[in-house]
């Protein structure tokens, strides 16, 4: 008989490791906590250093208030903080739990070199686990906080960390969020001694220029209303994803509730194409008692007491900003009906891979759908999806079989910090299938210029406007499979659209689809064909005559 486990208290060292792991699980968490401390200290200049993907070292140097010598020894103790004078009901700072420095000391070696401006001499603190040492030192006013050897004493957690390039990409993205929401500050990020991001104090437009480049910065409009400040993009600067809808609540970058995202889109009304999302950077200020940042370990989610009213204020502020621009009329107070939940999309891998049957084209419906007959059944083929599938497989074959196309003159690219980080991570993989993008010196804010040298030959001749921009944006975008995402998008752009299908090109599309190795779904997973048996038609019309016989698909039932 096995022993029944008994409830017991965990040893203190185990309990400490569990609690620390909730705050610091990766280098990104260390960076976020150190940035919050620097901002809470009133810093106007922040210099960040990252080595070894953050596992070897993460350091933040600021010119903030510093910590008095008599209080430095308390800083790495658990739940020691200067930020909660009124309790959790009135949080007015980014940090408030008093766990960040303690957790960092449990996971690595924490050092603080700090001096208030009015204090003579600085203080150096070193903490590892529960061991704390404090000594006198010399340093300029402010604080340098560093964590070294992260998880060096925790082999299992160390092995579970992401590759250095992937972690750096996330850290660059995080710092970009802070730059967007705090553009009035000076920022600099160095990764393994190389400057990756630099920002001089400016306005929201300057923050957009640093993170997304000058072209995007020239297409944003200021938003100013009670409790709301930031920028939104003009209607012509949009994306298919909502990954550039950025919100901060009381200075804290957060993952916005869906209500706030929808409020921005509603503010654009008819000016925004369906399925498109703008670039948005909005700082929201709410009374401390009306928001709760203590609902998630990373504090990226906040609970807002008056969310519907705040969403309406955001909608009105966005609409007003657009109405104030020449050639953009004031928007009526429209209410878009709620969309019905989309149906589940079947995974292409789960679709039948059988041989595509020989079909006889009967006609074209609404200049988009092909009506065909095969195996005694009626088939309906989505002309756009079918053409897209055929073009996608043609591009796939070209990438695999043709040598890359060398550009006569390499094209100079201005990369965002995130794109530059992804390029470092993906450059070899992209070059393996013919897409060669190489770094090319420092950009306006450091290290973000690149050159496009070659494309896969099957892509070079595509009749797609701004082809190179599409290729770079997708290849260095937020996707786990850049090649698949890129080819799917480039197959979609030239594929026949509604209103362009006729009997002649419809027959060609049908023949192209028949040659596909996977003809049953487009690259995005939507079906290309629907099939209706004569028996189904007969039963639907209530027929029980001689033609109610098994045909086509019914013969196997």
């Amino acid at each position: 008989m096995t022993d029944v486990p008994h409830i017991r208290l965990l040893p203190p060292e185990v309990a400490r490791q569990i609690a620390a792991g909730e705050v610091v699980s990766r280098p990104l968490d260390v960076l976020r906590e150190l940035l919050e401390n620097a901002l809470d200290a009133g810093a106007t200049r922040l210099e960040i250093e990252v080595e070894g993907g953050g596992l070897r070292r993460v350091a933040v140097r600021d010119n903030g208030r510093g910590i008095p010598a008599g209080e430095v020894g308390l800083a790495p103790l658990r739940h020691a903080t200067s930020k909660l004078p009124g309790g959790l009901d009135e949080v007015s700072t980014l940090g408030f739990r008093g766990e960040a420095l303690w957790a960092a000391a449990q996971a690595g070696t924490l050092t603080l070199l700090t001096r208030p401006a009015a204090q003579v001499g600085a203080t150096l603190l070193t903490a590892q686990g529960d061991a704390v040492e404090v000594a006198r030192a010399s340093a300029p006013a402010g604080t340098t906080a560093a964590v070294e050897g992260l998880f060096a004493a925790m082999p299992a957690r160390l092995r579970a960390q992401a590759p250095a390039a992937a972690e750096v990409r996330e850290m660059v993205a995080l710092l970009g969020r802070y730059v967007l929401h705090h553009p009035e500050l000076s920022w600099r990020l160095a990764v393994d001694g190389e400057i990756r991001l630099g920002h001089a104090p400016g306005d929201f437009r300057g923050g957009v220029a640093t993170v997304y480049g000058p072209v995007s910065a020239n297409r944003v409009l200021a938003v100013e209303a009670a409790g709301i400040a930031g920028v939104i993009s003009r209607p012509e600067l949009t994306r298919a994803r909502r990954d550039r809808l950025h919100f901060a609540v009381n200075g804290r970058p957060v993952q916005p509730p869906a209500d706030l995202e929808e409020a921005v889109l509603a503010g654009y009304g008819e000016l925004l194409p369906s399925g498109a999302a703008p670039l948005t950077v909005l700082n929201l200020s709410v009374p401390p008692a009306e928001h709760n940042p203590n609902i998630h370990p990373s504090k990226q989610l906040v609970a807002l007491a008056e969310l519907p009213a705040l969403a309406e204020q955001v909608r009105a502020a966005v609409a007003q900003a657009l109405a104030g621009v020449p050639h953009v009329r004031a928007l009526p107070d429209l209410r878009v009906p709620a969309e019905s939940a989309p149906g589940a999309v079947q995974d292409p891998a789960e679709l039948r891979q059988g041989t595509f049957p020989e079909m006889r084209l009967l006609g074209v419906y609404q200049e988009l759908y092909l009506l065909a007959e095969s195996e005694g059944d009626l088939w309906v083929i989505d002309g756009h999806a079918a053409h897209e599938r055929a073009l996608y497989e043609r591009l796939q074959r070209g990438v695999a079989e043709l040598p890359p196309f060398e550009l006569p003159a390499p094209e100079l690219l201005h990369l965002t910090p995130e794109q530059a980080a992804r390029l470092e991570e993906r450059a070899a993989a992209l070059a393996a299938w013919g897409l060669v993008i190489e770094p090319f010196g420092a950009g306006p804010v450091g290290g973000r210029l690149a050159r496009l040298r070659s494309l896969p030959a099957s892509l070079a001749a595509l009749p797609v406007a701004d082809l190179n921009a599409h290729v770079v944006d997708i290849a260095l975008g937020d996707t786990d499979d850049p090649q698949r995402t890129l080819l799917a998008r480039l197959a979609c752009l030239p594929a026949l659209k509604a209103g362009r299908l006729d009997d002649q090109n419809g027959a060609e599309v049908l023949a192209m689809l028949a040659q596909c190795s996977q003809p049953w779904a487009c690259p995005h997973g939507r079906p290309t064909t629907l099939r209706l048996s004569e028996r189904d038609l007969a039963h639907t019309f209530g027929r029980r005559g001689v033609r109610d016989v098994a045909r086509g698909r019914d013969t196997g039932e």
Side-chain angles (χ1 to χ4, degrees):
M1 182 176 180
T2 59
D3 293 335
V4 177
H6 298 284
I7 297 176
R8 61 184 178 87
L9 289 174
L10 291 173
E13 62 274 12
V14 176
R16 286 195 297 269
Q17 289 181 0
I18 292 174
E22 294 177 351
V23 181
V24 174
S25 63
R26 55 189 293 194
L28 182 71
D29 297 330
V30 173
L31 177 59
R32 180 186 293 110
E33 298 292 349
L34 296 185
L35 289 176
E36 289 184 353
N37 284 344
L39 293 173
D40 285 340
T44 59
R45 184 179 68 251
L46 296 92
E47 299 176 359
I48 300 96
E49 297 176 2
V50 175
E51 297 178 9
L55 294 173
R56 188 184 313 138
R57 186 170 188 264
V58 177
V60 175
R61 181 183 303 110
D62 68 63
N63 64 343
R65 288 187 293 272
I67 306 173
E71 300 177 11
V72 174
L74 298 174
L77 302 185
R78 192 178 187 191
H79 301 314
T81 181
S82 61
K83 303 177 183 180
L84 281 179
L88 281 174
D89 292 335
E90 295 185 5
V91 176
S92 59
T93 54
L94 301 181
F96 53 85
R97 293 175 180 150
E99 292 182 311
L101 297 182
W102 169 81
Q106 299 295 321
T109 300
L110 169 71
T111 60
L112 293 177
L113 180 61
T114 180
R115 181 176 75 85
Q119 178 179 294
V120 177
T123 306
L124 175 64
L125 175 143
T126 304
Q128 186 172 21
D130 292 332
V132 179
E133 296 181 2
V134 179
R136 300 289 292 173
S138 61
T143 299
T144 299
V147 178
E148 300 177 333
L150 193 62
F151 307 130
M154 303 176 183
R157 182 163 292 180
L158 184 62
R159 289 194 297 269
Q161 295 302 303
E167 191 71 6
V168 166
R169 171 166 49 83
E170 295 292 332
M171 298 170 92
V172 171
L174 175 67
L175 191 60
R177 288 291 309 278
Y178 278 97
V179 170
L180 290 172
H181 294 294
H182 297 275
E184 74 282 2
L185 308 181
S186 172
W187 300 86
R188 190 184 73 170
L189 168 66
V191 177
D192 296 323
E194 177 187 354
I195 302 300
R196 288 292 188 88
L197 186 148
H199 172 76
D203 56 9
F204 287 105
R205 187 186 300 272
V208 172
T210 295
V211 177
Y212 293 124
V215 174
S216 295
N218 289 334
R219 298 181 181 178
V220 296
L221 309 171
V223 177
E224 294 183 8
I228 302 174
V231 291
I232 59 173
S233 64
R234 293 175 178 270
E236 67 267 20
L237 181 62
T238 61
R239 293 168 61 82
R241 302 190 304 274
R242 299 185 180 185
D243 57 340
R244 293 187 180 177
L245 291 176
H246 300 304
F247 291 82
V249 176
N250 292 356
R252 183 193 315 280
V254 298
Q255 295 179 8
D259 301 53
L260 294 182
E261 292 185 345
E262 294 300 330
V264 170
L265 302 184
Y268 278 81
E270 296 175 339
L271 294 175
L272 202 63
S274 176
L279 165 62
T280 300
V281 180
L282 293 179
N283 284 0
L284 310 180
S285 299
V286 301
E290 293 185 5
H291 90 297
N292 180 11
N294 193 32
I295 63 173
H296 191 273
S298 68
K299 296 171 284 188
Q300 294 184 79
L301 302 177
V302 296
L304 297 166
E306 301 294 337
L307 182 56
L310 182 60
E312 175 56 26
Q313 292 174 5
V314 169
R315 185 203 66 80
V318 170
Q320 182 61 35
L322 292 166
V325 179
H327 310 299
V328 179
R329 61 183 176 83
L331 301 179
D333 188 16
L334 299 178
R335 290 292 182 270
V336 181
E339 296 181 356
S340 58
V345 177
Q346 189 175 5
D347 191 296
E350 299 175 358
L351 298 172
R352 183 170 66 88
Q353 297 285 333
T355 303
F356 197 77
E358 183 177 350
M359 295 187 181
R360 181 173 69 90
L361 184 63
L362 302 177
V364 177
Y365 175 66
Q366 294 291 353
E367 299 181 300
L368 174 61
Y369 301 101
L370 306 177
L371 305 181
E373 181 184 22
S374 180
E375 301 177 345
D377 294 340
L378 177 65
W379 294 67
V380 181
I381 299 96
D382 183 327
H384 173 75
H387 195 203
E388 188 179 19
R389 180 75 223 181
L391 294 177
Y392 175 77
E393 293 198 8
R394 180 185 296 174
L395 293 176
Q396 273 189 322
R397 290 191 298 271
V399 167
E401 299 170 1
L402 300 176
F405 171 76
E406 296 283 341
L407 271 65
E411 180 172 339
L412 189 64
L413 308 172
H414 181 100
L415 303 183
T416 69
E418 288 184 64
Q419 287 176 326
R422 290 194 181 104
L423 176 59
E424 181 179 7
E425 184 181 0
R426 300 175 182 173
L430 297 178
W433 47 274
L435 180 57
V436 178
I437 306 173
E438 62 181 19
F440 187 64
V445 293
R448 291 185 288 116
L449 290 180
R451 291 193 302 184
L452 177 63
R453 297 192 63 91
S454 71
L455 294 171
S458 60
L459 310 186
L462 287 176
V464 175
D466 298 323
L467 174 65
N468 293 352
H470 277 290
V471 170
V472 173
D473 189 51
I474 297 172
L476 300 180
D478 185 15
T479 173
D480 294 329
D481 190 343
Q483 184 187 97
R484 179 181 178 84
T485 305
L486 174 62
L487 298 188
R489 178 60 177 160
L490 294 181
C492 178
L493 292 174
L496 291 170
K497 306 296 192 298
R500 296 175 54 191
L501 212 64
D502 54 33
D503 289 342
Q504 180 177 349
N505 57 30
E508 296 173 355
V509 168
L510 201 57
M512 294 169 65
L513 184 63
Q515 300 300 316
C516 291
S517 60
Q518 210 293 51
W520 311 112
C522 80
H524 307 290
R526 295 186 295 271
T528 57
T529 61
L530 297 176
R531 183 176 184 177
L532 184 63
S533 70
E534 184 179 7
R535 172 180 289 180
D536 291 336
L537 282 172
H539 288 177
T540 300
F541 286 112
R543 296 180 62 86
R544 295 295 182 269
V546 294
R547 291 193 58 79
D548 186 20
V549 295
R551 289 177 179 268
R553 180 176 56 181
D554 301 330
T555 59
E557 298 178 353

